[in-house]
Amino acid sequence: PGFAFPPSFPRRGFQINPDGVFARHGPGPSDEPVTVTGRWVAEAIRADFDDPGLGSETLRILSYDQDRLTLDGRSERRETPPPEPAASWQCGRWYASLDRQPPGVPVLRVTGSCRFPTAGYVAGLRRHEPQGTNPRQLLLDLVVHAPDTPSAQVLSEVEVRYEEETEAGFDSVLIFPEAVSVPVEEVW
């Protein structure tokens, strides 16, 4: 605010709010100004938009100081197909453990379960990219694939699992998009 931008149309921009809200500003379908909101991860300026059909956008920071933020100019945009409405399914019973029992490299295991309204759903966890700035917290994405064909209309429970060999000592796992924090229990 207050910067004397030269005339330009359409003016594109974004706003990063301390409460985690990311707003992208730009022209709409009939050139009227439109703002699309989402959530951002501070260390990457990765915006996951509230409209699941828009996917996410990552802005690369070249430099910054008190008065200026310089970006690469290219943004990485990842489109995602609209998922089944989250209200129709729920996930929980998350548990994370770091198995340090010999022999071999310690293994981090994260488990949970998801309940879906029909059969045929597949759910899994994968590393969130980019990882956060806290090296003691692993970020994971919950990935859900709806059935491609008509399925039995019966409540279905699917086990969700993630496993990784690691020397890192994680204190917690943060699972997106719900931002559920799961403490890591060490097993000796």
Side-chain angles (χ1 to χ4, degrees):
F3 183 81
F5 286 102
S8 174
F9 185 81
R11 172 82 60 208
R12 298 179 189 276
F14 62 90
Q15 184 174 349
I16 304 167
N17 297 317
D19 64 356
V21 173
F22 179 92
R24 182 176 63 193
H25 308 289
S30 60
D31 291 337
E32 79 282 1
V34 172
T35 298
V36 180
T37 60
R39 306 288 302 163
W40 63 272
V41 177
E43 57 276 351
I45 307 187
R46 174 182 159 162
D48 294 311
F49 295 103
D50 295 337
D51 179 345
L54 293 177
S56 66
E57 186 172 353
T58 301
L59 305 171
R60 297 185 190 281
I61 299 174
L62 295 177
S63 65
Y64 64 93
D65 61 28
Q66 188 70 16
D67 301 317
R68 179 176 291 209
L69 172 67
T70 305
L71 301 174
D72 185 333
R74 296 169 291 171
S75 68
E76 291 179 14
R77 188 152 165 110
R78 187 178 70 187
E79 300 294 332
T80 56
E84 189 76 16
S88 68
W89 49 270
Q90 63 187 77
C91 299
R93 296 196 317 221
W94 297 111
Y95 175 75
S97 66
L98 183 61
D99 185 349
R100 293 188 178 275
Q101 296 180 21
V105 178
V107 177
L108 174 72
R109 291 184 181 90
V110 181
T111 60
S113 65
C114 294
R115 182 174 292 170
F116 299 104
T118 67
Y121 278 82
V122 177
L125 294 167
R126 69 172 176 228
R127 268 185 169 262
H128 180 84
E129 292 301 332
Q131 282 292 300
T133 56
N134 180 354
R136 307 277 305 164
Q137 183 176 56
L138 177 66
L139 306 182
L140 296 176
D141 290 319
L142 173 65
V143 181
V144 175
H145 297 281
D148 294 334
T149 58
S151 302
Q153 298 294 308
V154 58
L155 282 178
S156 171
E157 188 139 339
V158 174
E159 183 179 333
V160 181
R161 186 169 205 72
Y162 178 84
E163 197 167 289
E164 171 184 323
E165 288 187 351
T166 180
E167 294 287 347
F170 294 113
D171 294 326
S172 64
V173 175
L174 187 62
I175 301 172
F176 292 108
E178 289 84 17
V180 175
S181 182
V182 182
V184 175
E185 178 182 312
E186 292 202 20
V187 179
W188 292 93

